[in-house]
């Protein structure tokens, strides 16, 4: 039984359709990260799960129970907000105890549970303070504490780390992951940061304009992106896209930039002459002084152990490469090879991934 | 960074302030000074002889049973006006804060009573509650409830309370609405997720977060009920029947203008002046502290 099940979730605000039918099944204890560009509907989806918005269509089931029409209070969930949303007039203790008090938990038990959660999060010394007397990171922990004391069926996180500085963000990221594993609570985590998504999620939902473009493990998404959007969104620097057409009965591609590349994993179904987009990650580019493609360099970014090169191919297409070690940028040109084994093949018309035929 | 303009000398600043200073002097300081001066004098009935009597006017006022009754009336009246005007305004503001159809029209209409002059407001309520020509007044009498605020002191008090509170609801409404809108939506959502139903949410989150607004309005409303309701009372009941709706401010008028007892009237207005200064101090103290939780 799935711990959370979304079926055909659609949402329109007036005439604007924000979500176009999202399906998702989350297993018990799984951490799902919803990632996508700003405005693609991540928060809206999360708020529908929380019961703060009602879907125009579709259903939400939590732990096998239909909750679509229920109030947030009846869903047994907890949520951590981007701005933490702590109760400003209550102490840290009261903030964390509020939900338990409403559920009529006995006083002794409240004290014990809040104490435990505070210990776990390292905020035991702050229980008497008001939220405005806390730093951003401490507020973040209190918000986490408020979520975990209730021992809900589902955690929802809406970009909880985006207000923290870079260092604290990395630290809290690891902490959230550890905590989530330890408590084993099913979680949905919304972010627009792909590093956060890759490191936190058991599986990712990459959202694009109200659709779930791909739902898969981080490695799967990186290795086999379902379409050009996902391919370009995950990975840094972003994947290169080159135009080409299918040739030799589907066994190779003729790039606009010149060369013919033979697919290493077998032929693609499709008529010769079909327009393709070939994806290649910058880190898969290799130097090849003899047979490589000429790259006219615009910009060289040395990162110490690696160097990122930006330039243009003979056809005028932009290309980025990430190479090991220092690269002598003499002459402003370089010859690079595209390894056939690392190609991602997409249909130019639909943007969908084309896998090798059966 | 705040920009500060610094003037050289005193002539230009004084000139710029002159209109405001002139108004303050002519309409506030001078009458106030006159009242204080008058309050330590006593005139004979014909206004021929005036003698200095020190604090005797004050002593007489403070032990006068009629004054004490007016003070009690004022207390009842002000408490009732402040609480009812605030409760109704808060209720309306909570409704307006929900995203409802026609919210803007609703808000605009709610602000109108504030623009109505006290005497006009009184006439309006008179047309509703007059025992023989008033809409509600007639209905009450027909329903067998003896309604005549010209004979029944309790009913007269109720009427001036309603009319005065009605005028103040608009003002309170605006402040409560602004207060409600400054509460972050996510805090309320967090409470909803924590399991609090709307009523619980209101009393444990919304109302405490509104407390600065509530306190501010409490002082403003008390000051209003104390000092700004003369017009409503004058037009509706004239302090009667008997002295049932005579408040302190109304008594100042009765004493000075009708009974021409200037010394006593002045002493009473000085007492009121001290009261309003005290309230203002309390409020300023409070506003300075600004953050309260
Ligand atoms: N209450 C609303 N009324 C109308 N449109 C809304 C409402 N809430 C969200 N939207 C629209 O829905 C779209 C998705 O919003 P949403 O907040 O889900 O984006 P998001 O993916 O969370 O973005 P971000 O990363 O910036 O938080 C946006 O175009 C937004 O303008
Ligand atoms: Mg969002």
């Amino acid at each position: 039984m799935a711990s959370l099940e979304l079926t055909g979730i659609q949402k329109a605000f007036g005439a604007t359709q924000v979500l176009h039918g999202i399906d998702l099944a989350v297993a018990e204890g799984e951490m799902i990260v919803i990632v996508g560009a700003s405005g693609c509907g991540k928060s809206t989806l999360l708020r529908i799960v929380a019961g703060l918005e009602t879907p125009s269509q579709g259903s939400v089931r939590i732990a096998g129970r239909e909750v679509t029409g229920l109030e947030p209070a009846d869903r047994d969930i907890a949520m951590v907000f981007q701005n933490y949303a702590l109760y400003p007039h209550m102490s840290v203790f009261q903030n964390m105890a509020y939900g338990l008090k409403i559920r009529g938990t006995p006083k002794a038990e409240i004290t014990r549970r809040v104490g435990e959660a505070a210990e776990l999060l390292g905020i035991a010394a702050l229980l008497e303070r008001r939220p405005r007397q806390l730093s951003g990171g401490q507020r973040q922990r209190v918000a986490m504490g408020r979520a975990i004391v209730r021992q809900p069926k589902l955690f929802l996180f809406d970009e909880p780390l985006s207000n923290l500085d870079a260092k604290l963000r990395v630290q809290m990221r690891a902490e959230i992951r550890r905590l989530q594993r330890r408590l084993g609570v099913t979680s949905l985590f919304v972010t627009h940061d792909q590093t956060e998504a890759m490191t936190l999620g058991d599986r990712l939902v990459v959202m694009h304009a109200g659709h779930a473009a791909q739902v898969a493990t981080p490695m799967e998404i990186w290795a086999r992106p379902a379409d050009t959007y996902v391919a370009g969104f995950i990975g840094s620097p972003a994947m290169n896209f080159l135009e080409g057409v299918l040739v030799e009965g589907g066994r190779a591609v003729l790039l606009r930039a010149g060369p013919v590349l033979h697919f290493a994993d077998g032929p693609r179904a499709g008529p010769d002459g079909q327009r393709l987009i070939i994806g290649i990650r910058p880190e898969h580019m290799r130097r090849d002084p003899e047979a490589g493609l000429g790259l006219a360099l615009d910009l060289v970014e040395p990162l110490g152990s690696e160097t990122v090169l930006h330039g243009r191919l003979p056809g005028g297409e932009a290309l980025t490469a990430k190479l090991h070690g220092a690269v002598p940028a003499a002459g402003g040109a370089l010859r690079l090879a595209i390894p056939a084994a690392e190609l991602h093949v997409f249909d130019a018309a639909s943007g969908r991934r084309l896998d090798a035929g059966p | 960074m705040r920009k500060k303009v610094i003037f050289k000398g005193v002539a230009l600043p004084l000139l710029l302030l002159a209109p405001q200073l002139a108004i303050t002097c002519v309409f506030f300081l001078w009458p106030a000074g006159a009242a204080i001066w008058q309050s330590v004098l006593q005139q004979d009935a014909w206004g021929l002889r005036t003698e200095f009597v020190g604090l005797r006017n004050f002593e007489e006022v403070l032990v006068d049973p009629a004054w004490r009754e007016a003070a009690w009336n004022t207390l009842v009246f002000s408490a009732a006006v402040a609480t009812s005007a605030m409760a109704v305004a808060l209720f309306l503001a909570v409704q307006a804060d929900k995203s409802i159809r026609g919210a803007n029209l609703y808000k605009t209409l709610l602000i109108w009573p504030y623009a109505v002059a006290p005497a006009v407001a009184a006439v309006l309520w008179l047309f509703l509650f007059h025992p023989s020509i008033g809409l509600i007044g007639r209905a009450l009498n027909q329903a067998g409830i003896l309604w005549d605020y010209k004979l029944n002191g309790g009913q007269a008090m109720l009427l001036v309370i309603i009319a005065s509170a009605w005028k103040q609801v608009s003002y309170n409404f605006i402040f409560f609405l602004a207060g409600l809108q400054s509460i972050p939506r996510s805090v309320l959502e967090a409470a909803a997720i924590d399991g609090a139903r709307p009523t619980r949410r209101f009393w444990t989150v919304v109302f405490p977060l509104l407390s600065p607004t509530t306190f501010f309005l409490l002082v403003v409303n008390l000051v209003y009920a104390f000092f700004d309701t003369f017009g409503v009372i004058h037009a509706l009941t004239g302090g009667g029947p008997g002295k049932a709706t005579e408040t302190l401010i109304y008594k100042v008028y009765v004493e000075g203008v009708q009974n021409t007892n200037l010394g006593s009237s002045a002493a009473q207005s000085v007492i009121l002046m001290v009261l309003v200064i005290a309230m203002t101090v309390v409020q300023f103290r409070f506003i300075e502290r600004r953050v309260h939780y």
Side-chain angles (χ1 to χ4, degrees):
Chain A
M1 182 186 65
S3 178
L4 168 71
E5 210 175 337
L6 305 179
T7 340
I9 298 287
Q10 294 193 24
K11 177 69 185 176
F13 291 107
T16 7
Q17 185 83 16
V18 174
L19 296 177
H20 304 264
I22 306 269
D23 297 296
L24 181 67
V26 184
E28 183 76 42
E30 203 178 9
M31 178 102 166
I32 297 280
V33 176
I34 302 172
V35 62
S38 186
C40 68
K42 308 179 297 284
S43 298
T44 307
L45 183 63
L46 201 70
R47 293 167 58 81
I48 286 173
V49 175
L52 297 171
E53 304 273 2
T54 38
S56 319
Q57 234 155 74
S59 82
V60 182
R61 297 171 74 83
I62 295 175
R65 192 168 60 113
E66 174 73 40
V67 298
T68 316
L70 297 187
E71 291 288 312
D74 302 319
R75 296 188 177 206
D76 200 8
I77 50 167
M79 182 155 167
V80 179
F81 292 80
Q82 176 170 357
N83 63 356
Y84 316 135
L86 300 177
Y87 311 122
H89 59 298
M90 297 184 197
S91 68
V92 168
F93 180 89
Q94 289 167 322
N95 261 282
M96 289 166 68
Y98 186 73
L100 294 175
K101 225 166 106 187
I102 284 173
R103 280 172 174 71
T105 314
K107 254 209 169 85
E109 164 124 19
I110 292 180
T111 314
R112 186 179 61 77
R113 270 159 73 169
V114 171
E116 278 174 15
E119 206 62 56
L120 196 63
L121 289 161
I123 49 173
L126 308 174
L127 287 177
E128 293 313 313
R129 296 230 199 136
R130 293 288 160 98
R132 68 183 173 85
Q133 299 165 317
L134 301 177
S135 72
Q138 290 167 333
R139 279 177 216 190
Q140 219 284 329
R141 282 164 202 268
V142 177
M144 291 282 303
R146 186 170 65 177
I148 66 175
V149 283
R150 293 229 325 272
Q151 304 174 350
K153 289 218 177 60
L154 186 63
F155 277 151
L156 304 173
F157 300 88
D158 193 356
E159 308 202 21
L161 304 179
S162 55
N163 286 351
L164 302 179
D165 68 44
K167 195 169 156 218
L168 197 54
R169 197 177 318 164
V170 173
Q171 185 190 337
M172 282 309 290
R173 187 170 81 200
E175 214 161 304
I176 287 181
R177 186 59 175 142
R178 227 173 284 130
L179 206 61
Q180 192 269 340
R181 284 256 168 80
R182 177 161 163 191
L183 301 172
V185 181
T186 316
S187 305
L188 282 190
F189 189 106
V190 164
T191 178
H192 58 245
D193 180 315
Q194 53 158 310
T195 321
E196 223 167 272
M198 297 292 278
T199 50
L200 272 176
D202 291 320
R203 284 192 298 154
L204 310 188
V205 177
V206 182
M207 282 191 58
H208 176 42
H211 296 274
Q214 189 169 9
V215 182
T217 62
M219 274 324 285
E220 169 85 7
I221 283 181
W222 191 80
R224 296 168 39 83
D227 61 23
T228 47
Y229 179 80
V230 178
F233 188 79
I234 298 290
S236 172
M239 186 185 276
N240 295 296
F241 294 114
L242 305 174
E243 290 175 25
V245 290
L246 202 56
V247 292
E248 296 183 19
R251 265 169 292 139
V253 58
L254 167 63
L255 290 183
R256 197 174 73 143
V260 173
L261 300 174
H262 287 88
F263 302 131
D265 51 353
R268 263 57 181 179
D272 276 5
Q274 183 184 350
R275 290 176 49 240
L276 300 178
I277 289 184
I278 298 300
I280 176 82
R281 294 203 182 274
E283 54 270 39
H284 289 148
M285 301 295 293
R286 290 286 162 265
R287 291 173 81 175
D288 184 347
E290 286 93 55
L293 279 168
L295 182 71
L297 294 176
D298 299 336
L299 181 65
V300 177
E301 299 174 317
L303 302 176
S305 65
E306 288 154 333
T307 307
V308 177
L309 307 154
H310 303 272
R312 297 205 169 267
L313 289 174
E317 289 171 296
L319 187 94
T320 303
K322 188 161 148 189
L323 302 178
H324 284 291
V327 175
L334 201 67
R335 298 193 84 79
L336 294 170
I338 302 176
E342 308 291 355
L343 296 186
H344 300 264
V345 185
F346 304 98
D347 176 34
S350 66
R352 306 291 307 165
R353 178 182 192 85
L354 293 177
D355 277 316
Chain B
M1 281 283 273
R2 227 181 332 175
K3 244 191 182 159
K4 248 188 200 164
V5 178
I6 296 172
F7 290 105
K8 287 197 188 105
V10 287
L12 183 61
L14 267 183
L15 189 71
L16 293 173
L17 285 173
Q20 184 63 42
L21 287 175
I23 288 174
T24 310
C25 288
V26 172
F27 291 102
F28 295 97
L29 295 182
W30 185 27
I36 292 171
W37 176 234
Q38 193 70 251
S39 70
V40 292
L41 301 179
Q42 191 157 45
Q43 279 182 324
D44 67 3
W46 317 107
L48 297 177
R49 262 181 333 113
T50 304
E51 60 171 322
F52 180 83
V53 293
L55 292 180
R56 215 174 70 212
N57 283 329
F58 289 94
E59 282 162 21
E60 278 170 10
V61 163
L62 289 174
V63 297
D64 179 8
W67 189 84
R68 290 185 169 188
E69 202 189 315
W72 174 248
N73 281 346
T74 310
L75 215 67
V76 172
F77 173 76
S78 305
V81 167
T83 41
S84 54
M86 286 169 66
V88 171
L90 180 56
F91 176 78
L92 293 174
V94 168
Q95 302 310 312
D97 191 39
K98 295 174 184 163
S99 33
I100 49 169
R101 222 176 266 273
N104 278 330
L105 180 72
Y106 174 76
K107 287 174 203 167
T108 312
L109 289 179
L110 271 170
I111 291 167
W112 279 4
Y114 194 60
V116 173
V120 178
V123 170
L124 227 127
W125 286 97
L126 203 129
F127 278 132
L128 285 176
F129 279 103
H130 194 281
S132 48
I133 60 164
L135 219 62
I136 299 174
R138 278 217 328 257
L140 282 173
N141 279 316
Q142 270 163 18
I145 301 163
L146 278 183
W147 171 267
D148 190 347
Y149 64 85
K150 286 178 179 156
L151 299 175
N152 183 322
Q155 291 178 359
M157 183 54 109
L158 190 66
L159 185 58
V160 290
I161 287 171
I162 293 176
S164 307
W166 176 75
K167 258 195 71 55
Q168 193 63 10
V169 164
S170 309
Y171 184 90
N172 297 348
F173 170 77
I174 296 171
F175 276 84
F176 273 133
L177 188 60
L180 286 171
Q181 286 177 345
S182 71
I183 298 176
R185 178 124 287 161
S186 59
V187 170
L188 299 177
E189 290 174 345
I193 287 177
D194 261 344
R197 311 273 162 195
T199 316
R200 180 97 182 224
R201 222 145 61 208
F202 180 81
W203 290 113
T204 55
V205 179
V206 176
F207 193 69
L209 289 180
L210 275 181
S211 64
T213 311
T214 309
F215 184 83
F216 164 80
L217 284 179
L218 183 67
V219 176
V220 169
N221 279 259
L222 286 177
V223 171
Y224 162 80
F226 262 58
F227 305 103
D228 273 354
T229 46
F230 174 84
V232 172
I233 295 175
H234 191 55
L236 268 179
T237 64
K243 291 179 183 299
T245 53
E246 197 172 279
T247 58
L248 287 174
I249 193 85
Y250 202 79
K251 193 164 166 50
V252 170
Y253 162 80
V254 170
E255 207 70 48
V257 179
Q258 291 178 357
N259 303 348
T260 60
N261 187 348
L262 291 185
S264 171
S265 171
Q268 292 180 29
S269 59
V270 169
I271 293 173
L272 288 181
M273 203 145 57
V274 172
L275 266 175
V276 79
I277 290 171
M279 282 187 182
T280 313
V281 167
V282 169
Q283 185 166 352
F284 277 2
R285 274 280 169 80
F286 183 76
I287 287 172
E288 273 165 18
R289 279 197 292 143
R290 235 190 267 155
V291 184
H292 318 284
Y293 39 76

